Amino acid sequence: MSKAAKSILIIEDNQDIRESTAEILELADYEVYSAENGRKGVEIAAKQLPDLILCDIMMPELDGYGVLYLLNKNEQTANIPFIFITAKTERADIRKGMEMGADDYLTKPFGDMELLNTVETRLKKGEGLKKNTDDSSFDDKTKTARILTELVESSRVRTYKKKQVIFSEGDHLLHAFMIKTGAVRSYMVYQDGREIATGMYGPGEFFGYDSVLLNKASTDNAETLENTELHLISRDDFKEVIFKNPAISKKFIELLSGNLQEKQDQLLKMAYNSVRKRVADALVALTGKVDPGGQDQATVKISRDDLAAMVGTANETISRTLSDFKDEKLIEKEASSIKILSIDKLRKVKQ
């Protein structure tokens, strides 16, 4: 059999559903194990270590949530792809299962092709994760980079125009984002309508993941600074990779911590630094986000409105400060761009 090496465990108390599901999978050349209740299913899983588990939620003795909990406690079964099959369609039930670590769900009644497509998709993802986990020929950094690359490359790419809103404060995000080309800013809006920038992102950087990981509405707004291409990484795929790979979890915890520290530093600078110093620091920061490369000169594209929001001051003040920098030969203004003549001198601007 072409797929004889792939085994699937079905845990389902309804005999008709259990047998019909097993028949479909066996016709597709899978090796199938069956259990009529949760306790027996846990025993078979620990003994046979199937490649994938299909499990009903509502069962006597031990329900599907209990099965998943026990499997997650066992190191040998914790990483087996797990799919809930259930007649319950309420979002709360589905969300509870996904938050516990389920990989997917099927709602009864499901068709033959829906079953096979879901199984095939999860087996492929499971193979990819296992390969990355088992491959000892690479160090953690290399494996982390490779897993993230595969995650990003499998995501959908969407093009945004300049100044287009990506998401707004209060939105529950269905995706985490990574910038392919272009630049993005995040910002908050005060009650009086003033904007304050909370982040600047360039190619290769992730954003929006804090809302996804915390299952909370976004506290920021995000819009493009120029024409931009974004990778849209689905919430489920993003969480799956994060929760099953400690090195990647650590990476994003560090990013979250860094973002928090950056916001705190920004608030301190706004409180104690002069506008002149804040504008200089903002331009220096933009060279690292939008036009990286380590050169002493750089060109950044940012509107006066966006720079004012980033610095926390009025547009007129930005215009006067940029004019002063131009007179001091620190910058040149080119239409909508600002050419920085010496990043080092701009970094040393005093209060």
Side-chain angles (χ1 to χ4, degrees), residues 52 81 83 103-104 118-126 240:
L52 183 141
I83 299 174
D103 297 283
D104 210 338
T118 301
V119 166
E120 188 72 21
T121 297
R122 286 300 152 184
L123 282 173
K124 286 181 179 178
K125 288 190 176 183
E240 178 180 7

Side-chain angles (χ1 to χ4, degrees), residues 102-122:
D103 297 283
D104 210 338
Y105 64 92
L106 281 166
T107 302
K108 295 184 265 188
F110 46 82
D112 295 0
M113 289 310 301
E114 183 182 2
L115 169 66
L116 294 174
N117 286 336
T118 301
V119 166
E120 188 72 21
T121 297
R122 286 300 152 184

Side-chain angles (χ1 to χ4, degrees), residues 151-160 175-176 178 229-234:
L151 176 67
V152 169
E153 289 180 348
S154 66
S155 67
R156 178 164 58 95
V157 177
R158 180 177 173 184
T159 301
Y160 291 78
H175 303 89
M178 198 275 270
E229 290 181 300
L230 297 180
H231 288 278
L232 276 58
I233 306 166
S234 78

Side-chain angles (χ1 to χ4, degrees), residues 20-190:
S20 62
T21 303
E23 183 179 359
I24 294 167
L25 294 173
E26 287 170 347
L27 287 172
D29 288 340
Y30 291 104
E31 183 178 0
V32 179
Y33 303 105
S34 296
E36 64 271 17
N37 61 62
R39 292 187 184 279
K40 186 172 181 181
V42 171
E43 293 174 1
I44 294 175
K47 181 179 179 180
Q48 301 295 341
L49 298 178
D51 295 293
L52 183 141
I53 297 172
L54 295 167
C55 182
D56 189 21
I57 289 183
M58 303 304 294
M59 295 184 294
E61 296 189 45
L62 184 67
D63 65 14
Y65 301 129
V67 171
L68 181 56
Y69 174 78
L70 292 175
L71 293 179
N72 284 338
K73 289 185 66 176
N74 185 333
E75 185 177 345
Q76 289 186 303
T77 58
N79 291 321
I80 298 175
F82 191 98
I83 299 174
F84 273 130
I85 48 178
T86 177
K88 302 190 71 175
T89 57
E90 289 85 352
R91 292 181 62 86
D93 297 303
I94 295 170
R95 178 180 296 176
K96 179 180 178 180
M98 301 303 280
E99 288 177 353
M100 287 183 64
D103 297 283
D104 210 338
Y105 64 92
L106 281 166
T107 302
K108 295 184 265 188
F110 46 82
D112 295 0
M113 289 310 301
E114 183 182 2
L115 169 66
L116 294 174
N117 286 336
T118 301
V119 166
E120 188 72 21
T121 297
R122 286 300 152 184
L123 282 173
K124 286 181 179 178
K125 288 190 176 183
E127 286 177 354
L129 289 172
K130 187 175 187 301
K131 178 182 177 183
N132 287 317
T133 302
D134 293 344
D135 191 349
S136 59
S137 62
F138 295 91
D139 59 25
D140 284 343
K141 287 185 178 181
T142 304
K143 285 193 288 186
T144 296
R146 187 174 63 184
I147 295 170
L148 286 175
T149 297
E150 291 176 355
L151 176 67
V152 169
E153 289 180 348
S154 66
S155 67
R156 178 164 58 95
V157 177
R158 180 177 173 184
T159 301
Y160 291 78
K161 294 182 179 180
K162 181 179 179 181
K163 303 293 287 183
Q164 184 173 347
V165 174
I166 302 165
F167 58 80
S168 301
E169 180 181 352
D171 287 350
H172 289 269
L173 305 187
L174 298 177
H175 303 89
F177 302 88
M178 198 275 270
I179 300 178
K180 182 178 181 182
T181 61
V184 170
R185 75 170 183 127
S186 60
Y187 62 96
M188 301 178 71
V189 181
Y190 288 117

Side-chain angles (χ1 to χ4, degrees), residues 157 210 253 262 331:
V157 177
D210 48 349
I253 289 172
E262 189 175 327
I331 66 168

